[in-house]
Amino acid sequence: MPFEAVDGPSAEIIDGKSIAAKIKSQVASEILKMKDAVGKQPGLAVVLVGERSDSHTFVRTKMKACDEVGISSSVIELLADCTEDEVFHVVSNLNKDPSIHGVLVQLPLPKHLDEEKILNVVNPEKDVDGFHSFNMGSLAMKGREPFFIPCAAKSCIDLLLRSGVEIAGKNAVVIGRSKLVGLPVSLLLQRHHATVSVVHSFTKNAQELTREAEIIITDVGVPNMIRGNWLRSGAVVIDAGTNAVKDPNRKNGFHVTGDVCFEEAVRVASAITPVPGGLGPVTISMLLSNTLDSAKHAYGFV
Amino acid sequence: MPFEAVDGPSAEIIDGKSIAAKIKSQVASEILKMKDAVGKQPGLAVVLVGERSDSHTFVRTKMKACDEVGISSSVIELLADCTEDEVFHVVSNLNKDPSIHGVLVQLPLPKHLDEEKILNVVNPEKDVDGFHSFNMGSLAMKGREPFFIPCAAKSCIDLLLRSGVEIAGKNAVVIGRSKLVGLPVSLLLQRHHATVSVVHSFTKNAQELTREAEIIITDVGVPNMIRGNWLRSGAVVIDAGTNAVKDPNRKNGFHVTGDVCFEEAVRVASAITPVPGGLGPVTISMLLSNTLDSAKHAYGFV
């Protein structure tokens, strides 16, 4: 079916930056209260293996955000050729350190390291990324509560709720099934009583299924894959894609775009996140919020 | 849309009893080999709290099945008003006992006991029911392997594969989201690269969604809810419902029926499990298989 353009954009643009700022400001004010009450501040430790420049950039962004709200942060850097035992040793020291409330292993790890083993060594009570199997299982099972939910997935739901979207009973399509977004967000949407279909590379009728959905969350990694004619009128779209596309007009040679063709989708959807400036900033603020929650729990501060 | 009856039944009836017998016979023969090789047999322990007669019946059925294949089994009975600590104590002794390879807490527990806490005390490596959060999380996450997968869900996939159903790329609908069937089977279907939609009590268009599915797995607990006109021609139907329906013509006053109206579905589907005699017997044989796997792992017997 060809895309039918209507006149001009109609969707509400979900402003991730301003929502992130609100969350940060709330986190900062709660941290001040906690400091007043118990004399302690939250601590986040990031384990960073190797020299990937993108990982170093992400970690710096997280550190900066911690600093802005009053979370003390530290980075433990390991060489790209370190052993699994060295990583275990570092993580288990952080698990024991009472001043550290969040332990985060920056992904991806060098290929010789077993990601599953390493992520499962993090104490689930300090697993602010929510990637420990125990936390993911607790998220999956009705009536159980994980210590932490992966930040990007939690942010998707937060954006829906802040945009006034009722999730219960809605048809939701999740495109992609990563542990960062697709998997946990499909579990979260189910917790909120949406009817969830998960679409992926093996799906035959992805466009048709997506057109049935009132809520669409994408995390594919293919720029502009979701066109306007994939959407039904009035759908709400959360775009978790962050794809670098070559762009000779930019100083750094690329621009960042989502999985959704924004120009088309904005004319069909009722609300949509832009990329950049949508989910990304909220995800980082959610990491701060998770770290604060962990510290509050550790100090019995409610 | 009204149900269009065609002439006579057309679906292959998936014979759970005979498949269960095959699995049992294979388990029995592997146990003999293991005994020969390492002089040990698998051991299953069931913790049974309270006096529910249905639970006692289920446990007896499991014990009998263990006996048939050469698994030594024991039941630890606790009073209905026992404390959580008493259950923890029993479970943690079984966790330590090297002759026990499977620890199973019969559900449901009396209401004063916290099911989540108790199930999470079982050593994940002996959790033959697969209900520990760690195992469920490992099942959910691509690239991770749980020690055990819940028996009924594993049996659903086994029945599909034995019936020659290719799962990858198929549209599958799971109706119901219990931890026994709905949740784990939806995760398993995704592992096999089906496009999975989970339908539940909040779903608005359950019939319409189900009619799109090539594979349907139901675990609702409502007798005959899924009628012939919910199914597309050629669908494969696994019915995990076991519902007691009053029946004055039966000696015990009831008969057991599934979630699917078998008489109608059998004329539309290409393959279907009957109730009784479908998934039920296979589920029990899968428990035996899980227990054997655990013993093999413990004794390093491949």
Side-chain angles (χ1 to χ4, degrees), chain A residues 188-245:
Chain A
L188 267 172
L189 285 165
Q190 278 195 54
R191 281 202 163 225
H192 285 267
H193 306 302
T195 302
V196 182
S197 303
V198 179
V199 163
H200 47 76
S201 55
F202 285 77
T203 301
K204 287 169 299 191
N205 54 341
Q207 179 174 352
E208 191 189 314
L209 265 168
T210 308
R211 271 185 75 93
E212 296 299 315
E214 297 156 287
I215 297 169
I216 294 138
I217 299 180
T218 72
D219 175 35
V220 194
V222 180
N224 301 315
M225 186 179 103
I226 319 301
R227 306 289 299 266
N229 57 7
W230 284 53
L231 306 176
R232 72 193 266 177
S233 173
V236 178
V237 180
I238 309 286
D239 187 346
T242 40
N243 311 298
V245 175

Side-chain angles (χ1 to χ4, degrees), chain A residues 115-116 119-120 130-138 140-145 168-171 177-179 183 186-187 189-200 202-205 208-209 212 214, chain B residues 115-116 119-120 130-138 140-145 168-171 177-179 183 186-187 189-200 202-205 208-209 212 214:
Chain A
E115 179 187 299
E116 173 183 1
L119 293 180
N120 279 341
F131 296 151
H132 194 293
S133 296
F134 183 89
N135 280 323
M136 201 64 89
S138 302
M141 295 178 87
K142 252 190 301 190
R144 300 195 186 176
E145 285 304 327
K170 287 284 183 354
N171 286 332
R177 39 183 178 162
S178 69
K179 71 169 166 303
L183 170 68
S186 69
L187 299 171
L189 285 165
Q190 278 195 54
R191 281 202 163 225
H192 285 267
H193 306 302
T195 302
V196 182
S197 303
V198 179
V199 163
H200 47 76
F202 285 77
T203 301
K204 287 169 299 191
N205 54 341
E208 191 189 314
L209 265 168
E212 296 299 315
E214 297 156 287
Chain B
E115 180 187 297
E116 174 184 0
L119 294 181
N120 280 340
F131 295 151
H132 194 293
S133 297
F134 182 89
N135 280 324
M136 202 63 89
S138 301
M141 294 178 89
K142 250 191 303 189
R144 299 195 186 176
E145 285 303 327
K170 287 285 183 353
N171 286 331
R177 39 183 179 163
S178 70
K179 73 169 164 300
L183 169 67
S186 68
L187 299 172
L189 285 166
Q190 277 195 55
R191 282 200 161 224
H192 285 266
H193 307 302
T195 302
V196 183
S197 304
V198 179
V199 162
H200 47 75
F202 285 75
T203 301
K204 287 169 302 192
N205 54 341
E208 191 189 316
L209 265 169
E212 296 299 316
E214 297 157 287

Side-chain angles (χ1 to χ4, degrees), chain A residues 28-203:
Chain A
S29 105
E30 285 194 57
I31 288 176
L32 282 178
K33 278 190 212 151
M34 192 178 80
K35 265 187 174 166
D36 269 358
V38 300
K40 308 271 189 185
Q41 73 182 124
L44 175 71
V46 181
V47 181
L48 177 56
V49 185
E51 315 295 335
R52 284 180 68 116
S53 72
D54 55 347
S55 291
H56 279 257
T57 306
F58 290 140
V59 170
R60 271 195 304 275
T61 308
K62 290 170 188 174
M63 302 292 98
K64 190 167 159 278
C66 281
D67 197 49
E68 282 165 19
V69 298
I71 293 174
S72 84
S73 67
S74 51
V75 188
I76 293 88
E77 292 193 43
L78 289 165
L79 294 175
D81 63 352
C82 72
T83 66
E84 245 165 48
D85 279 344
E86 287 175 277
V87 186
F88 292 158
H89 182 72
V90 165
V91 170
S92 87
N93 280 341
L94 295 169
N95 283 343
K96 284 178 226 150
D97 185 337
S99 72
I100 299 295
H101 309 99
V103 176
L104 188 158
V105 180
Q106 184 66 34
L107 300 178
L109 290 165
K111 286 206 172 128
H112 70 285
L113 299 173
D114 183 331
E115 179 187 299
E116 173 183 1
K117 269 197 203 163
I118 289 172
L119 293 180
N120 279 341
V121 169
V122 175
N123 179 346
E125 297 194 42
K126 295 189 176 187
D127 173 38
V128 285
D129 257 348
F131 296 151
H132 194 293
S133 296
F134 183 89
N135 280 323
M136 201 64 89
S138 302
L139 174 61
M141 295 178 87
K142 252 190 301 190
R144 300 195 186 176
E145 285 304 327
F147 293 108
F148 300 102
I149 295 168
C151 301
K154 199 174 166 188
S155 300
C156 291
I157 302 297
D158 191 67
L159 288 177
L160 291 175
L161 297 175
R162 282 177 197 262
S163 305
V165 177
E166 265 226 48
I167 303 174
K170 287 284 183 354
N171 286 332
V173 160
V174 175
I175 310 181
R177 39 183 178 162
S178 69
K179 71 169 166 303
L180 278 86
V181 185
L183 170 68
V185 91
S186 69
L187 299 171
L188 267 172
L189 285 165
Q190 278 195 54
R191 281 202 163 225
H192 285 267
H193 306 302
T195 302
V196 182
S197 303
V198 179
V199 163
H200 47 76
S201 55
F202 285 77
T203 301

Side-chain angles (χ1 to χ4, degrees), chain B residues 25 28 67 73 81 88 90 96 108 151 155 175-176 182 212 235-236 240 271 280:
Chain B
S25 130
D67 197 49
S73 68
D81 63 353
F88 292 158
V90 165
K96 284 178 229 152
C151 301
S155 300
I175 310 181
E212 296 299 316
V236 178

Side-chain angles (χ1 to χ4, degrees), chain B residues 46-234:
Chain B
V46 181
V47 181
L48 177 56
V49 185
E51 314 296 333
R52 284 180 67 119
S53 72
D54 56 347
S55 291
H56 279 257
T57 306
F58 290 139
V59 171
R60 270 196 304 275
T61 308
K62 290 169 188 175
M63 302 293 99
K64 190 169 157 279
C66 283
D67 197 49
E68 283 165 19
V69 297
I71 293 173
S72 85
S73 68
S74 51
V75 188
I76 294 88
E77 292 194 43
L78 289 164
L79 294 175
D81 63 353
C82 71
T83 65
E84 244 164 50
D85 279 344
E86 287 176 278
V87 187
F88 292 158
H89 182 73
V90 165
V91 170
S92 86
N93 280 342
L94 296 169
N95 283 343
K96 284 178 229 152
D97 185 338
S99 72
I100 299 296
H101 310 99
V103 176
L104 188 158
V105 180
Q106 184 66 34
L107 302 177
L109 290 165
K111 286 205 171 126
H112 70 286
L113 298 174
D114 184 330
E115 180 187 297
E116 174 184 0
K117 269 196 203 163
I118 289 171
L119 294 181
N120 280 340
V121 170
V122 175
N123 179 347
E125 297 194 41
K126 294 189 176 186
D127 173 37
V128 285
D129 257 348
F131 295 151
H132 194 293
S133 297
F134 182 89
N135 280 324
M136 202 63 89
S138 301
L139 175 60
M141 294 178 89
K142 250 191 303 189
R144 299 195 186 176
E145 285 303 327
F147 292 108
F148 301 102
I149 295 168
C151 301
K154 197 174 168 188
S155 300
C156 291
I157 302 298
D158 190 67
L159 288 177
L160 290 176
L161 296 177
R162 281 176 197 263
S163 305
V165 177
E166 264 226 51
I167 302 174
K170 287 285 183 353
N171 286 331
V173 160
V174 175
I175 310 181
R177 39 183 179 163
S178 70
K179 73 169 164 300
L180 279 85
V181 184
L183 169 67
V185 92
S186 68
L187 299 172
L188 266 173
L189 285 166
Q190 277 195 55
R191 282 200 161 224
H192 285 266
H193 307 302
T195 302
V196 183
S197 304
V198 179
V199 162
H200 47 75
S201 55
F202 285 75
T203 301
K204 287 169 302 192
N205 54 341
Q207 181 175 351
E208 191 189 316
L209 265 169
T210 308
R211 271 186 73 95
E212 296 299 316
E214 297 157 287
I215 296 168
I216 294 138
I217 298 181
T218 72
D219 175 36
V220 193
V222 180
N224 300 316
M225 186 180 103
I226 318 302
R227 305 290 299 266
N229 56 7
W230 285 53
L231 306 176
R232 73 192 265 177
S233 174

